Structures are given as C-alpha cells and as structure tokens.
Amino acid sequence: MWDNFTPAMLELFASSLWETLVMVGISGLAGSLIGIPLGVLLRLTDRGGVLQNTGVNRVVGGIVNAVRSTPFIILLVAIIPFTRFITGSSIGTAAAVVPLTLAAAPFIARLVETSLREVDQGLVEAAQAMGASTWQIVFKVLLPEALPGIVAGFTITLVSLTGYSAMAGAIGGGGLGDLGIRYGYQRFLPEIMLAVVVVLILFVQAVQSLGDWAVRRLSHK
C-alpha cells in the first residue's frame, strides 16, 4: 500500500496542494471583489434600503440567482470560450480560476446581502438623520457592523470553492481533484484517492478553524 507513496508522488501531492491553494485563494479574493459590491448594491436597492430601486434590485438579483442556480460542472464547461479568451487556455490552474470566480461572486453577494440585512435599521436611520451620505452609511455603518457575518460567509465560500476546485480537476483544472482522478480513479490506486480526501478534509478544517477564530475576534471588538 505504502509503496505507491514514492518521493515523486509526495512531490506531486505538494504541487497539487499548492495548485488547490492558488485556485481557492485567487478565486476567493476575486469573487469577493465582485461579490461584496453586488451584495451591498442588492441591500441598498432592496425594499427599505437607502437607495430603494425595485427594478435594479430585480435585475441584479435575477442575474445573481441565475449564476447561483447553474451547477458548477455545467458552468465550468459552458464558459470554456470565455475562459480561453481570458487565460489563453481551457485547462490548468489559471483556467480553473475563471469559473471558480464566477461561481464564488454571486454566492458571496447573497451572503453579504444577508449579513447587511441583520444590521440594526436604527443605526442606519440615525446616520441618515445626522446627514451621512450613502458612502458613509455603507463604509461606516453597514460594513463594519456586518463584518463578522461577512467573514463567516467568506469562510463558507472558501470551503465551497475547495469542493469546486476538486470538481475542476475532472476536466484538467489541476490541484488535488486532478490528482485524485488521474491516480486514484483512472489508475485504480484507492490509497491515493484516500490520501487526497484526507488532505482535503484537513485543508477544509484549517480554513474553517481560521474563519471561526476571525469571527470570534471581530465579534468581541
């Protein structure tokens, strides 16, 4: 059983783990840069929001829901031309970041919107009464108050992206998913597949623990 864990295989494990870290980290960051503003926009334009606009809210919400409801494996294949246009290739770690980002952004947007809904409306009304602008309300009231919830949502997103990155390995996306499929499944090495699963579980546990620690720190400030 242990004969298959040669130095070359261990090196492959290390490089695959690094590819997974890159995919999850970059797509999580890029998804946040898109998703957080979308979430703020959804909250501001919602009923009772500072910039209430039913039309804009429905259009943006419809787009977000459409992307969220698309199974990731279908999204992965459907945007191959766009992925190839952005990265010059449809396979590899860089190519996998594109669909991962598109999958993460609407997910983060809804989580941010939900966190912002939990902010006491009285704080917003008090800021408006003092003449605060929309930007001041967003950056000095809504986001600071909702930060623990946003961080918790971001942690959930990273965990989900870990699973998506493994799925991306099915079409040559690289990372631990690709390693598990090529060696664990196609070459009938169940011990390699088991090792991949264990590494992914430990990775997810580490991400979740770090996220929980950050939320606790922010909640006690």
Side-chain angles (χ1 to χ4, degrees):
M1 176 179 177
W2 301 106
D3 294 342
N4 292 315
F5 292 94
T6 62
M9 178 57 69
L10 294 177
E11 184 177 347
L12 189 57
F13 257 98
S15 62
S16 296
L17 176 59
W18 172 249
E19 289 173 354
T20 296
L21 288 171
V22 169
M23 285 190 289
V24 172
I26 295 179
S27 60
L29 178 60
S32 296
L33 293 177
I34 299 171
I36 291 176
L38 277 178
V40 172
L41 178 63
L42 285 170
R43 180 65 191 106
L44 292 179
T45 57
D46 196 8
R47 183 177 302 174
V50 178
L51 301 175
Q52 180 175 327
N53 189 316
T54 304
V56 172
N57 187 268
R58 286 180 177 175
V59 170
V60 176
I63 295 173
V64 167
N65 289 337
V67 179
R68 283 185 63 202
S69 61
T70 304
F72 180 69
I73 192 66
I74 295 177
L75 179 68
L76 198 64
V77 175
I79 66 167
I80 282 178
F82 179 68
T83 300
R84 189 179 291 117
F85 173 76
I86 296 294
T87 65
S89 174
S90 60
I91 60 174
T93 303
V97 169
V98 177
L100 285 171
T101 299
L102 291 181
F107 190 69
I108 292 174
R110 284 303 186 189
L111 291 173
V112 169
E113 181 191 15
T114 301
S115 297
L116 294 177
R117 285 179 184 274
E118 296 176 357
V119 175
D120 187 357
Q121 186 63 23
L123 295 175
V124 176
E125 293 174 355
Q128 288 178 309
M130 290 186 290
S133 65
T134 301
W135 288 108
Q136 289 174 323
I137 292 174
V138 169
F139 289 103
K140 294 187 177 181
V141 179
L142 289 175
L143 289 179
E145 290 294 323
L147 190 56
I150 293 174
V151 172
F154 182 66
T155 303
I156 295 172
T157 302
L158 290 181
V159 172
S160 298
L161 285 175
T162 302
Y164 289 163
S165 70
M167 197 182 302
I171 62 169
L176 291 170
D178 180 53
L179 177 64
I181 290 171
R182 283 193 294 121
Y183 289 89
Y185 177 71
Q186 295 177 349
R187 300 191 184 186
F188 304 103
L189 298 174
E191 60 271 22
I192 300 298
M193 180 69 78
L194 178 60
V196 168
V197 172
V198 170
V199 172
L200 285 172
I201 290 174
L202 293 175
F203 176 71
V204 168
Q205 290 287 348
V207 171
Q208 188 65 58
S209 297
L210 182 60
D212 292 343
W213 173 82
V215 170
R216 287 195 297 270
R217 289 293 299 271
L218 290 170
S219 298
H220 286 92
K221 281 188 176 182

